[in-house]
Amino acid sequence: MPKRRVNPARNPSAKPAANEGRRETILDAALGLIARQGFAAVSHRRVAAAAGVPLGSTTYYFESREHLLREAFRRYLAQTSAELADGARALKERPTLARALDYLLAYTEREVADRAVIVTEYELVLFAARDGSLAEELHAWYDAMVADLAEVLERLGARTPFDAARAVFQMVRGYELEALTRGEPRTADLRRRLETLLTSYLASSGA
């Protein structure tokens, strides 16, 4: 799973912070287990062992296995949203085709460089397919990425910026699946394909 970890608070008098730290430690352990074995392998007992906490800690914070999984995936979405927002904000300050490609490649390389990250994301998709509330959050996360890129593409002259942004992320998803199964990421090839796609959308607008 992503290497982002939250250290529990050490001060026993700061109980809210300590409790939140333990909760986040449990969620990170759950995400690590999901990345290694899939969400079907998650149980309170296994997560407690991975987090190094008593079994009672997981049942205290999470009333069911589904609750634990849902909150773990929400943590993943929150973490990645913050990272992507930073990149999108920088791109909006000075949008160019080259910088848009750099942003997309950085996003994709982050996904495929650590197999645990991309596995976790696709496990999230599978879980969300059976969980309506998480599915809504997943779609909101995806729609926010599309909207950020569409804003940039509109400023670059794309006539149908949302169509272009969706096409871009669909291409990226296909690349990720290929990298996940082949184990041979080819980012130079992806950049070429993305550039061809975006240039086509910009050219059709007369930009």
Side-chain angles (χ1 to χ4, degrees):
M1 179 49 218
K3 299 177 177 62
R4 301 179 295 276
R5 304 291 293 183
V6 178
N7 293 321
R10 299 294 184 182
N11 183 355
S13 65
K15 291 184 179 179
N19 289 345
E20 184 63 21
R22 173 163 286 194
R23 183 179 185 276
E24 292 174 344
T25 296
I26 291 169
L27 292 176
D28 285 336
L31 288 170
L33 189 59
I34 290 166
R36 293 190 300 274
Q37 300 181 42
F39 74 80
V42 170
S43 68
H44 279 285
R45 188 174 300 279
R46 287 177 175 172
V47 171
V53 300
L55 177 60
S57 292
T58 64
T59 56
Y60 173 78
Y61 291 108
F62 309 103
E63 60 190 23
S64 66
R65 173 180 175 274
E66 288 68 28
H67 183 206
L68 172 58
L69 284 166
R70 194 176 299 115
E71 292 303 311
F73 285 131
R74 281 174 174 158
R75 178 163 171 76
Y76 175 85
L77 288 175
Q79 290 173 326
T80 54
S81 292
E83 294 172 2
L84 291 168
D86 287 342
R89 191 159 42 246
L91 175 59
K92 290 176 186 178
E93 290 175 358
R94 190 163 55 87
T96 66
L97 176 58
R99 295 187 79 235
L101 290 169
D102 288 342
Y103 165 75
L104 291 166
L105 265 293
Y107 162 75
T108 308
E109 288 172 349
R110 170 198 170 278
E111 297 277 298
V112 301
D114 185 349
R115 182 181 173 86
V117 174
I118 191 170
V119 168
T120 299
E121 193 162 305
Y122 281 94
E123 288 286 337
L124 187 163
V125 171
L126 291 173
F127 184 81
R130 299 174 178 84
D131 187 289
S133 64
L134 189 63
E136 289 181 7
E137 294 177 43
L138 177 61
H139 289 311
W141 174 78
Y142 174 74
D143 289 345
M145 288 195 299
V146 169
D148 281 337
L149 182 59
E151 180 182 337
V152 170
L153 296 180
E154 184 175 33
R155 290 170 63 185
L156 291 177
R159 182 174 299 170
T160 55
F162 277 89
D163 286 345
R166 290 188 188 98
V168 163
F169 281 114
Q170 287 166 2
M171 180 178 285
V172 167
R173 292 301 182 212
Y175 169 83
E176 289 174 350
L177 284 174
E178 184 177 0
L180 181 62
T181 53
R182 287 182 182 274
E184 299 176 358
R186 301 170 181 172
T187 52
D189 182 52
L190 176 62
R191 186 184 184 97
R192 177 186 58 77
R193 286 184 279 164
L194 285 172
E195 185 171 9
T196 299
L197 177 65
L198 288 177
T199 300
S200 174
Y201 271 100
L202 295 177
S204 68
S205 68

